[in-house]
Amino acid sequence: MTPLLEVKDLRVSYGKIEAVKGISFSIEQGEVVTLIGTNGAGKTTTLRTLSGLLRPTAGTITFDGKRIDGRPAHDIVSLGLAHSPEGRRIFARMTIEENLLLGAFLRKDAAGIQSDVQRAYDLFPILGERRKQAAGTLSGGEQQMLAMGRALMSQPKLLMLDEPSMGLSPIMMQKIMATIAELKAAGTTILLVEQNAQAALSLADQGHVMEVGRVVLSGTGQDLLVDESVRKAYLGED
Ligand code: ATP
């Protein structure tokens, strides 16, 4: 089977600083793949490059059979790759429903859009209860739900989540992780970037450990969870 996403020898620089130094990985349809690693490893840079916000200096990105490296971000969204960014980037003064609808800005099927808004409310009931309120009144965890809901509104073939648990209470983090598991069970293909390696690897089919711009270790989520070097570096064990 051809992978849904194939990244080969990808390099990305900010001026003279090379943040991603030749990484390769692929994602099969229906898989959850996670990138873990410390701050500055290049995970966010990788996601921003996949979604067209940064241009790679070398390498190729093939998504759903098409080369997408160097294409503009709106083209990439329309091909089915959605990004829920780090820090959430919701629009605080717009209502929750307006924020969700922004995720559907390339769609024309009004009935389908309405049923997907309803699906977001089924997934995250709090969003439905507060649909007419300004999004800035939501808690951090609820804003994360909104960012995920908004990304899903483009009906993505691949959903990229950048640090969905960042800054959340343990309970809210569990809720977000449970939702990712629910999306996975429904067949959504997900690329998950997380600082919380334990939670991410527990969910993931495949994981890649990044350090200073390189993938230094790859394996199934289960293999990495029991790997001694991963346990020491990322799971807080001696
Ligand atoms: P974090 O979890 O902190 O976001 P990360 O693994 O996602 O870490 P990146 O944010 O991709 O890492 O950063 C990779 C490297 O690129 C870091 O050394 C960072 O300082 C650098 N970097 C990131 N954004 C910029 C920028 N806009 N200009 C210059 N350097 C940058």
Side-chain angles (χ1 to χ4, degrees), residues 39 44 83-89 144 161-163 166 195:
N39 284 331
T44 296
H83 186 177
S84 174
E86 188 176 18
R88 313 187 254 277
R89 311 274 161 85
Q144 183 57 55
L161 302 172
D162 196 351
E163 305 229 0
M166 189 168 61
Q195 289 277 328

Side-chain angles (χ1 to χ4, degrees), residues 14 17 19 37-46 86 162-163 193 195:
Y14 297 101
I17 301 167
T38 48
N39 284 331
K43 307 178 301 295
T44 296
T45 302
T46 302
E86 188 176 18
D162 196 351
E163 305 229 0
V193 161
Q195 289 277 328

